[in-house]
Structures are given as structure tokens and as C-alpha cells.
Amino acid sequence: MLYRAASASPFSTSTSAAYVIARRAMGFKEKLPPVLYSLVPEQKQGLHHWAGWAYLTRTLSFVRTYTFYQTERFDPSKLCSWSALFPQHALIDVEKIGLRRLESRKTYA
């Protein structure tokens, strides 16, 4: 949820969260964008969209919030790994190591 709000607007985290809450109150759903949906395991893809966000939140918990603001919108077909999600200059060494561990755990179609 934070990724979508942060990447789509120049607002602070608190303001982005307020927008998400307001959108939910109006009946909108915060579904995963296609670029992130491709990173969710197959067993979680058919579940409620909150399950996908929960998976991404747990999986990317080691990435600093500031890094999400530096992501660029790109073609989902070009996303082939977790490390392609973020610009390399924005990641610190600990985050790069964590992304490499994620890549070693899962293969992508």
C-alpha cells in the first residue's frame, strides 16, 4: 500500500496513508499494480488483494521507506528480479544483500 501511494504522489507517508484511508471509505480497492503482482508467489495470487500487500510488506521490510520514493514506473515485462524494482544507487549494502537473498529463494516466470 505504501509503495503505491509513495510512488504515485510527491506526498509524505502520512498524507499518502490518509489518501489510502479515504479511498477505502469511498469503496476503491488498493490492488497490486501489475509490476508488483508478478512478484507475488502463485499460491497467494488468487487471494484477497490485502494478502498480496501483506506478502510484499513482509518481504520488503528491510528496504527503507525512502527507497520506495525513488522507484520509477516501468514496463512490467522488463521486471525480472527483485533488484530491478529499485534503482541500484538508492540501495544500501544491507538492502542489496536482502534482495539477493530473495532472488535466490524464488524463480520468476
Side-chain angles (χ1 to χ4, degrees):
M1 178 167 50
L2 179 59
Y3 167 78
R4 180 175 181 172
S7 65
S9 66
F11 302 117
S12 69
T13 305
S14 301
T15 306
S16 297
Y19 275 110
V20 170
I21 292 168
R23 287 176 52 82
R24 284 186 189 165
M26 293 188 302
F28 290 101
K29 294 186 179 358
E30 300 297 330
K31 293 186 178 180
L32 288 172
V35 68
L36 293 178
Y37 192 74
S38 64
L39 297 174
V40 175
E42 291 180 17
Q43 62 265 29
K44 295 199 182 281
Q45 287 186 356
L47 300 176
H48 193 272
H49 59 271
W50 286 359
W53 282 117
Y55 171 77
L56 288 175
T57 301
R58 281 191 309 273
T59 305
L60 298 175
S61 63
F62 60 88
V63 178
R64 295 168 296 147
T65 304
Y66 175 75
T67 309
F68 287 98
Y69 287 96
Q70 297 186 11
T71 58
E72 299 176 4
R73 296 183 184 269
F74 43 81
D75 184 14
S77 63
K78 294 181 182 177
L79 182 66
C80 58
S81 68
W82 285 100
S83 58
L85 187 61
F86 304 101
Q88 291 302 306
H89 69 275
L91 297 171
I92 59 174
D93 291 336
V94 174
E95 293 167 338
K96 289 178 184 178
I97 292 169
L99 290 174
R100 279 195 295 263
R101 286 183 184 158
L102 283 175
E103 289 173 4
S104 67
R105 282 195 292 173
K106 180 181 176 199
T107 58
Y108 300 95

